[in-house]
Amino acid sequence: MTKILPFKAVRPAPAYAGLVASRSYEDYSEEELRAQLEFNPYSFLHIINPGYKFQHEIGGEKRFGMVRNRYLEFKEENTLIQDKSPCYYIYQIKSREATCCGIIAAASVEDYEKNLIKRHEDTIAHREELFKDYLKVVGFNTEPVLLTYPDNPVINELLEERMKSRPEYEFATYNRELHSLWLIDKPENIEKIKAEFDALEKIYIADGHHRSASSYLLAKESRENNPDHTGEETYNFFMSYLISESNLRIYEFSRLIKDLNGHSKEEFLILLDEWFRIEDRGHEIYKPSKKHHFNMYLEGKYYSLYLRKTQYKFTDSLSQLDSYILYEKILKPILGIEDLRHDKRIAYIHGRNDLIELKTRVDNGEFAVGFGMLPAGIEEIKEIADENLTMPPKSTYIEPKLRSGLTIYEF
């Protein structure tokens, strides 16, 4: 039984929604960021980049306090307004490739603690602590954790019916996406949705492991410091975007390695031959069509690598994951890549970008070799989470990616 509740979101006044909403801070180039801050006074980027107002770089806890101040200014100016009653929020993103639709709601930290909200990635302790401290000072969160659940006909019908009416927000973005948001505020519909989520035994984190872990740490600390703790306080929940499994779009990450770890090309291919059947594809662009098949680009040629299944033993769901196989049989033992997060010799390209980028970066000498694979499936991710195992870093690139500032959860 999972606890997914409506909440009173702080949101842009309708006239400002398209101007306030921003991509994730890290998605902007320096030039794009500067243009947004210079020419759009309503952008949420002004809140998370408060030093721009004073033309000064600010870091640490001083920055956290200034984020809080800029947020309060947006509220004082009525650019951001809080809803008077708890709602669920339907958020739809239409792109040229696909349409996804889900519910923004508050998920329970207790469910996370009890592993009813299942995770499949490791987190880094210092990043958890840093974001926990950030949340504690600023008092709000604007980036929902992406959660997924099995397709549910009752929820689908409720969403479809509500979406027949005019949305609260509807705006287009430069990358040709159409963003729409509806409120579910009728008590009978709220209760129906709540009941459907109550009936779920578990849900899965698709994206946002650090955000959920930091929210748990904040709740734990707040609980310990509150003698009147009831479990209903806002810190006991974190904002989430819940979408059905069929709405998820999962891509792979390709791996680029700076050098062959002292091996010649011939030595490297011989070492690969122990675990893989290798075919030289020449200049033909090759992308795998099956699990346990990999593509490799090396010295101007494409290669296909097929795992020798008579040699390799599958022991659990993780051992069958292609990113794990690549790490265990090539990256770590042959190329000497132990730390997939921090080793400067490895870089990643997510699968939405063309294989041509991989080729270009090897051809220009920036990297020596590149590897690609098929994306993991949702069932693979769920099996790994159910076995309480964790995938290697950068195993999946999952969409949708939501805009910041459209709904804000206050603690």
Side-chain angles (χ1 to χ4, degrees), residues 89-90 101-103 149 154-164 182 184 193 242:
Y89 302 89
I90 304 172
C101 180
I103 298 173
Y149 61 93
V154 174
I155 293 177
N156 289 345
E157 186 177 341
L158 281 165
L159 299 191
E160 288 170 8
E161 185 61 32
R162 183 68 183 90
M163 291 165 64
K164 290 177 182 176
W182 294 259
I184 298 179
I193 290 175
L242 295 107

Side-chain angles (χ1 to χ4, degrees), residues 255-265 268-269 272 295-303 330-331 335 337 344-347 357-371:
R255 273 78 167 133
L256 288 160
I257 313 298
K258 290 278 189 183
D259 56 67
L260 298 184
N261 199 29
H263 302 297
S264 68
K265 174 185 173 181
F268 179 56
L269 291 173
L272 290 179
N295 65 286
M296 181 175 73
Y297 186 70
L298 173 67
E299 292 190 5
K301 288 186 176 182
Y302 290 94
Y303 296 84
I330 300 178
L331 301 184
L335 294 175
I337 305 290
K344 301 297 184 186
R345 296 171 55 231
I346 187 169
E357 182 179 347
L358 184 147
K359 177 182 186 300
T360 299
R361 297 179 75 177
V362 172
D363 285 346
N364 68 19
E366 186 183 355
F367 294 92
V369 62
F371 299 94

Side-chain angles (χ1 to χ4, degrees), residues 220-248:
K220 185 171 180 288
E221 183 178 299
S222 301
R223 185 171 60 207
E224 291 168 353
N225 293 329
N226 182 5
D228 300 318
H229 172 82
T230 66
E232 299 304 316
E233 296 87 355
T234 53
Y235 60 69
N236 292 292
F237 301 89
F238 55 92
M239 186 167 65
S240 300
Y241 183 50
L242 295 107
I243 66 174
S244 61
E245 292 171 5
S246 63
N247 268 259
L248 275 182

Side-chain angles (χ1 to χ4, degrees), residues 302-321:
Y302 290 94
Y303 296 84
S304 56
L305 308 180
Y306 303 150
L307 181 68
R308 296 187 188 277
K309 295 179 183 177
T310 54
Q311 182 86 341
Y312 183 89
K313 303 301 179 187
F314 298 119
T315 56
D316 54 27
S317 58
L318 182 60
S319 70
Q320 300 182 54
L321 186 71

